[in-house]
């Protein structure tokens, strides 16, 4: 198989990449990188050589001889490289810009603040306990979701932008999954909840669910 | 003037957007949004209506009737919409993917952790003082820069990717500016330093410098 996805079942960024690969109907091999076991396999060789940032995911496309990090760069690459399946960005440049902005509202303004390495750091360096780690996560997720819920009022249909799936939905669903883990009350975000639920009825999303991965547990 | 940029002189994301507008040789009006004065103008009307995330920048393109947030969405939009000046992404999809990945290494993995709202929050909620805020910033910037310095060894020429400016340089220069503010020792990152210095000799970058903005001070 020419596509190899290095990642972790519960990582939001890996989850996004799985959804995109599934929507593009691509075959890929999952190579688990355990983020917790023995201090984290992402910090050890051989993975750290593949991705010096020691973060997941990393995609290797052997046909193109490319090793690529950053889920959003990977997803745009897949969309430009492969015609199969679902387009992940709209054709019109204004619409594409809006989709990207909503994707970054999640991928730049929420997720980087609530990921594992940040939680490990605030616990280790600032003695923040589990209860306060959850408070921290809820704060940033709720701040982000409040703005996104407002934006969706003018764009949403069945999905974030009308009736076509896009990169925005690919980012939203893993963030909703993550919000649930940290006890965010999703009833406050009816559009977000409805869109996530619509997405989760699709096979591409269902097969990408963390608990359906070989390394889950 | 049909392009209006709402932003703050010292915001990294606004700084990126200014560089891109300058490289595209576009005229634009700067509308300052003061992030600190009176609790932050970004949280007040009329700005908060324009951008419910209450973050900067926001670009308004009146010709297209579009209001756009997220610096990276704005920059890709400008590149797709306007043929003038410098292309901001390479034409080849593999190269474009690599440029985007490096841009996100900064815009998703460093900058979201060291921006004003996060520093205000860790001070207010967790009592972290100025000295420890600087430590926090240096930690995340150095972690990111170490990985980026390693990646640049295989890609850098005069700029991050060979001899063509790109989105990666547009993200790198404001992060270097920000690193200097927080006392990061840039001698540890010779490629990053050299590239930033090459960029800063260009008029587009020089005119985008925070201290050259009308609201600086």
């Amino acid at each position: 198989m020419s596509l190899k996805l290095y990642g972790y079942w519960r990582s939001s960024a890996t989850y996004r990449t799985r959804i995109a690969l599934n929507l593009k109907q691509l075959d890929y091999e999952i190579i688990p990188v355990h983020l917790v076991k023995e201090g984290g396999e992402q910090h050890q060789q051989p993975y750290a050589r593949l991705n010096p940032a020691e973060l997941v995911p990393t995609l290797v496309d052997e046909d193109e001889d490319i090793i690529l990090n950053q889920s959003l760069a990977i997803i745009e690459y897949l969309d430009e490289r492969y015609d199969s399946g679902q387009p992940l960005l709209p054709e019109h440049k204004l619409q594409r810009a809006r989709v990207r902005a909503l994707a970054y509202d999640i991928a730049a303004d929420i997720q980087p603040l609530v990921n594992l390495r940040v939680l490990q750091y605030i616990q280790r360096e600032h003695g923040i306990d589990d209860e306060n780690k959850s408070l921290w996560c809820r704060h940033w997720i709720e701040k982000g979701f409040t703005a996104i819920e407002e934006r969706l009022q003018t764009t949403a249909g069945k999905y974030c932008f009308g009736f076509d799936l896009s990169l925005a939905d690919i980012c939203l669903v893993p963030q909703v999954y993550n919000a649930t883990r940290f006890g965010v009350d999703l009833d406050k975000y009816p559009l977000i909840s409805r869109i996530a639920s619509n997405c989760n009825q699709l096979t591409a999303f269902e097969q990408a669910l963390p608990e359906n991965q070989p390394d889950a547990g």
Side-chain angles (χ1 to χ4, degrees), chain A residues 2-5 17 20-21 24 26-28 58-84 86-89 96 100 104 167 170:
Chain A
S2 83
L3 291 172
K4 297 190 195 308
L5 178 65
T17 314
L21 284 158
K24 298 300 283 183
L26 297 166
D27 281 333
Y28 57 102
T58 301
L59 182 86
V60 177
D61 186 342
E62 291 177 345
D63 288 347
E64 296 283 10
D65 201 17
I66 190 173
I67 300 168
L68 202 55
N69 69 311
Q70 290 292 348
S71 59
L72 266 57
I74 294 170
I75 294 168
E76 293 231 16
Y77 166 72
L78 292 172
D79 202 35
E80 293 182 0
R81 162 86 173 80
Y82 294 100
D83 289 331
S84 57
Q86 167 81 39
L88 307 180
L89 282 161
R96 200 158 49 234
R100 285 195 182 116
Y104 302 145
L167 178 63
I170 293 173

Side-chain angles (χ1 to χ4, degrees), chain A residues 4-10 14 18 29-37 40-42 46-47 50 56-58 213-216:
Chain A
K4 297 190 195 308
L5 178 65
Y6 292 79
Y8 184 60
W9 62 289
R10 211 155 61 170
T14 309
R18 287 193 303 263
E29 184 185 348
I30 289 181
I31 304 179
V33 179
H34 202 296
L35 297 190
V36 185
K37 206 169 60 185
E41 288 177 355
Q42 74 278 25
Y47 185 75
L50 213 58
V56 289
T58 301
Q213 303 317 304
D215 55 329

Side-chain angles (χ1 to χ4, degrees), chain A residues 4-216:
Chain A
K4 297 190 195 308
L5 178 65
Y6 292 79
Y8 184 60
W9 62 289
R10 211 155 61 170
S11 134
S12 275
T14 309
Y15 187 179
R16 285 178 206 146
T17 314
R18 287 193 303 263
I19 297 169
L21 284 158
N22 295 347
L23 286 170
K24 298 300 283 183
Q25 300 174 354
L26 297 166
D27 281 333
Y28 57 102
E29 184 185 348
I30 289 181
I31 304 179
V33 179
H34 202 296
L35 297 190
V36 185
K37 206 169 60 185
E38 293 168 17
E41 288 177 355
Q42 74 278 25
H43 304 304
Q44 298 158 28
Q45 301 305 351
Y47 185 75
R49 209 161 11 238
L50 213 58
N51 187 342
E54 303 173 11
L55 294 167
V56 289
T58 301
L59 182 86
V60 177
D61 186 342
E62 291 177 345
D63 288 347
E64 296 283 10
D65 201 17
I66 190 173
I67 300 168
L68 202 55
N69 69 311
Q70 290 292 348
S71 59
L72 266 57
I74 294 170
I75 294 168
E76 293 231 16
Y77 166 72
L78 292 172
D79 202 35
E80 293 182 0
R81 162 86 173 80
Y82 294 100
D83 289 331
S84 57
Q86 167 81 39
L88 307 180
L89 282 161
E91 253 190 73
H92 193 285
K93 58 181 174 300
L94 295 184
Q95 194 63 357
R96 200 158 49 234
R98 288 195 181 97
V99 167
R100 285 195 182 116
L102 198 77
Y104 302 145
D105 283 342
I106 296 164
D109 289 346
I110 302 178
Q111 202 275 332
L113 291 162
V114 301
N115 71 7
L116 179 69
R117 64 174 190 154
V118 173
L119 299 182
Q120 286 175 335
Y121 185 81
I122 62 177
Q123 178 165 41
R124 194 177 63 233
E125 298 295 321
H126 300 291
I128 293 171
D129 63 14
D130 281 350
E131 173 53 24
N132 279 302
K133 278 199 292 184
S134 288
L135 272 177
W136 164 277
C137 293
R138 285 202 294 275
H139 173 79
W140 297 113
I141 296 169
E142 289 175 0
K143 218 170 176 56
F145 275 10
T146 300
I148 290 168
E149 184 76 15
E150 189 171 333
R151 292 190 205 284
L152 288 172
Q153 284 171 21
T154 58
T155 67
K158 187 169 182 185
Y159 305 118
C160 287
F161 289 86
F163 293 83
D164 292 316
L165 281 167
S166 72
L167 178 63
D169 305 292
I170 293 173
C171 290
L172 186 68
V173 166
Q175 194 62 65
V176 167
Y177 178 91
N178 180 273
T180 307
R181 270 184 73 199
F182 292 114
V184 171
D185 175 10
L186 286 167
D187 289 347
K188 293 192 281 182
Y189 313 104
L191 287 171
I192 289 175
S193 302
R194 193 188 76 204
I195 291 163
S197 155
N198 290 338
C199 289
N200 282 326
Q201 287 166 33
L202 305 171
T203 311
F205 284 79
E206 204 221 321
Q207 290 180 342
L209 269 172
E211 47 266 36
N212 292 340
Q213 303 317 304
D215 55 329

